[in-house]
Amino acid sequence: MIQPTILVVDDEPAIHRFLKPVLEAEGYRVVQALMASEALRSAMENPPDAIVLDLGLPDLDGKDVIRRLRKVSQVPIVVLSARERETEKIQALDLGADDYVEKPFGVGELTARLRAALRHARQTLGNGGIMRCGTIEINVDAHQVRKAGAEIRLTRREFDVLVVLLREAGRVVTHRRLLKDVWGAANEGDTQYLRVYIGQLRQKLEDDPSAPRLIITEPGIGYRLVS
């Protein structure tokens, strides 16, 4: 069995000393980089299966690393950073990061987010435009949604929102991304409008809409469809 390769990019040697054995115990091969330039060169010469990326690098901001990588690669990127401002998370996600984990972090959370990012990278549309996530199945061409085999009737906008979330299952989708993809660039700031539709989807898809387990809110950032 081929080991997935994870490129860990962080300027703190202590992070590397800690993460390397943890990730190896999870079955990954680990490549390390202390600088952005080193990481970009490594990613181009020997493309990894996923990247764990710190934003605070000495030679280049991590967001610029994401921007450069996304011009040539869709490799899963999980940001690992001590920056707590929501704007930093949103910018990183909008640039193309798959997920964001704050320092200090729990090993279980990081490895779970990494697994989700790798799983998403392997997901493809099935025959006839069928998309699946857990018990949810969408037939894009027929505009049909089923949950555990039972048909769920959605409005056009509800359907469009769900398709965006399902295409990014397991990943955080920012408010801006959802609004832009479904309603267009002119509505990127109308988060209250989006909240109404998310509430309607939860009423139709969640077992208990008051305690959602399928469509999860990432406060101040966006939503995640649990894969």
Side-chain angles (χ1 to χ4, degrees):
M1 181 177 178
I2 298 174
Q3 289 180 299
T5 299
I6 309 299
L7 173 59
V8 178
V9 188
D10 201 298
D11 64 335
E12 298 182 50
I15 292 292
H16 287 291
R17 288 195 297 270
F18 171 68
L19 269 185
K20 190 172 189 293
V22 167
L23 294 176
E24 287 178 340
E26 291 285 325
Y28 301 119
R29 174 177 172 268
V30 179
V31 176
Q32 300 172 322
L34 294 168
M35 308 279 281
S37 55
E38 181 185 358
L40 288 167
R41 183 171 59 253
S42 178
M44 294 300 104
E45 293 176 355
N46 298 289
D49 293 285
I51 298 175
V52 175
L53 175 69
D54 183 28
L55 293 183
L57 300 170
D59 57 337
L60 189 68
D61 190 278
K63 295 193 297 296
D64 291 317
V65 174
I66 298 171
R67 187 179 290 109
R68 294 188 186 188
L69 284 171
R70 282 295 173 254
K71 290 180 180 179
V72 296
S73 172
Q74 290 303 309
V75 61
I77 300 172
V78 176
V79 169
L80 181 63
S81 180
R83 298 180 184 177
E84 297 180 354
R85 290 185 301 168
E86 287 180 357
T87 54
E88 293 281 352
K89 301 177 188 177
I90 292 170
Q91 288 171 9
L93 292 165
D94 280 341
L95 284 169
D98 292 70
D99 216 330
Y100 196 113
V101 178
E102 290 183 6
K103 293 179 180 177
F105 61 93
V107 169
E109 178 185 11
L110 176 61
T111 54
R113 299 287 176 91
L114 194 53
R115 286 193 300 272
L118 286 164
R119 186 165 59 248
H120 178 267
R122 292 191 294 266
Q123 288 176 339
T124 57
L125 281 176
N127 294 330
I130 302 297
M131 303 172 67
R132 297 181 178 87
C133 179
T135 61
I136 303 297
E137 177 182 292
I138 294 183
N139 186 321
V140 179
D141 297 335
H143 205 284
Q144 292 179 337
V145 179
R146 295 182 181 276
K147 179 184 178 184
E151 185 170 355
I152 306 294
R153 296 193 177 278
L154 301 183
T155 67
R156 177 190 164 206
R157 291 300 191 194
E158 291 168 353
F159 183 85
D160 290 345
V161 171
L162 183 59
V163 166
V164 175
L165 289 172
L166 191 53
R167 282 180 177 151
E168 306 296 333
R171 303 169 64 181
V172 180
V173 184
T174 64
H175 297 130
R176 179 183 174 188
R177 164 78 185 281
L178 274 165
L179 287 162
K180 181 179 179 181
D181 285 4
V182 177
W183 285 276
N187 295 284
E188 287 182 9
D190 200 346
T191 56
Q192 180 57 41
Y193 196 49
L194 177 60
R195 195 172 294 121
V196 170
Y197 280 89
I198 292 294
Q200 291 171 184
L201 279 173
R202 284 172 170 161
Q203 288 292 330
K204 295 180 179 182
L205 297 175
E206 298 279 3
D207 294 328
D208 180 2
S210 65
R213 299 172 65 88
L214 179 67
I215 303 174
I216 305 301
T217 299
E218 296 287 345
I221 300 173
Y223 299 95
R224 180 198 306 270
L225 185 70
V226 176
S227 60

